[in-house]
């Protein structure tokens, strides 16, 4: 038996009607050179003629990212290969939720692709409030604006995180670092919660810093590997200093924490990270 159709209105506990039995999702596509992609809704759809994001109902069993990508393709002809999901935020109404997926475009072309959209346009983020926006998008925009163009980089102190759990890692430091790398690759696909905003998930760029007997660990899709020739801490500080994005450093080393926090980075405790990795 097929699941109930996603394409229905839901009477929400907030008092409004919302579209999508399993919630809805939209794609906030950001092109640093052109701005953000907005869509003017056709006159006949709910909240017609207003500007919002390409998006729609999440299908049964579909992730919010998949739904946002599918809708962006159906409505604005943007192929999934033309962007990279960077973060997502959820507005949760209890029996209905809306997920906005922020993605970085890499030369993506957009055009009106079905009858639900009247026009698609790249808009300078500063000009967005001047458009007649859909009620919910207008309410969400101030919070989304801060994350337009933002990325998260997770720098992992390999030796410190491996050493945080007495599981016999000292017998095979290379193998232990490889296992950590493979778990981090899984994390790159699933994302990490924003330490300051529980409703925000990031798909971070992950940099694993290795040293000593683990320094020949090779990279894998989703995880870059940087080897320290001598001092791992100094290499981590160097990597953090090179980043323009927001940086999260996974370490429990007190002196290293002080050095990277001085560069503006935030700290993720190895215990918190490993709990998250174990849950994948
Ligand atoms: Zn609601």
């Amino acid at each position: 038996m097929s699941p109930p159709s996603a394409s229905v209105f839901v009477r929400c506990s907030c008092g409004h009607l919302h579209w999508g039995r399993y919630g809805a999702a939209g794609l906030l596509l950001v092109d640093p050179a052109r701005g953000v992609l907005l869509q003017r809704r056709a006159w006949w759809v709910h909240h017609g003629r207003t500007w919002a994001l390409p998006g729609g109902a999440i299908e049964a069993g579909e992730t919010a990212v998949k739904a946002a990508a599918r809708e962006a393709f159906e409505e604005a002809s943007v192929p999934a290969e033309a962007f990279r999901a960077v973060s997502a935020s959820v507005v949760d109404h209890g029996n209905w939720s809306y997920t906005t997926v922020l993605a970085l475009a890499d030369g993506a072309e957009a055009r009106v692709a079905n009858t639900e959209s009247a026009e698609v346009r790249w808009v300078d983020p500063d000009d967005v409030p001047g458009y007649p926006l859909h009620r919910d998008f207008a309410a969400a925009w101030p919070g989304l604006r801060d994350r337009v163009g933002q990325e998260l980089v997770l720098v992992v102190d390999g030796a410190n995180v491996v050493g945080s759990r007495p599981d016999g890692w000292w017998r095979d430091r290379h193998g232990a670092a490889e296992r950590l790398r493979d778990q981090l690759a899984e994390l790159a696909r699933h994302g990490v919660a924003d330490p300051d905003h529980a409703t925000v998930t990031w798909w971070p760029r992950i940099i694993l810093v290795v040293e000593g007997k683990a320094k020949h660990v090779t990279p894998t899709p989703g995880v870059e590997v940087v080897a320290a020739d001598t001092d791992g801490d100094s290499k981590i500080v160097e990597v953090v200093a090179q980043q323009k994005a927001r940086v999260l450093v996974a370490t429990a080393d007190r002196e290293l924490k002080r050095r990277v926090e001085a560069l503006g980075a935030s700290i993720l405790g190895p215990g918190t990270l490993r709990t998250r990795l174990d849950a994948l």
Side-chain angles (χ1 to χ4, degrees), residues 29-32 34 78-79 81-84 103-109 122:
L29 193 58
V30 182
D31 183 326
R34 292 179 291 180
V78 176
E81 308 79 60
F83 63 85
R84 180 167 59 85
L104 285 174
D106 185 11
E109 291 305 325
W122 294 98

Side-chain angles (χ1 to χ4, degrees), residues 165-262:
R165 184 183 285 178
D167 58 1
W169 55 265
W170 49 88
R171 288 191 289 270
D172 178 12
R173 290 163 197 252
H174 178 87
E178 276 187 332
R179 283 194 296 281
L180 174 62
R181 175 202 64 192
D182 293 345
Q183 284 190 304
L184 289 169
E186 193 67 19
L187 185 70
R189 286 190 287 276
H190 281 81
V192 290
D194 187 304
D196 303 321
H197 303 277
T199 58
V200 175
T201 299
W202 294 89
W203 289 278
R205 207 182 128 205
I206 298 180
I207 305 173
L208 173 62
V209 178
V210 292
E211 58 190 290
K213 291 201 166 92
K215 77 174 185 186
H216 297 297
V217 167
T218 54
T220 196
V223 183
E224 300 162 47
V225 177
V226 173
D229 286 326
T230 51
D231 170 19
D233 287 6
S234 293
K235 181 56 89 177
I236 289 165
V237 171
E238 186 187 313
V239 167
V240 170
Q242 287 165 355
Q243 308 305 320
K244 292 190 187 74
R246 199 173 146 209
V247 182
L248 201 53
V249 179
T251 188
D253 185 295
R254 204 168 286 183
E255 173 62 12
L256 178 60
K257 276 158 74 170
R258 193 192 57 73
R259 291 170 73 187
V260 296
E261 279 177 336

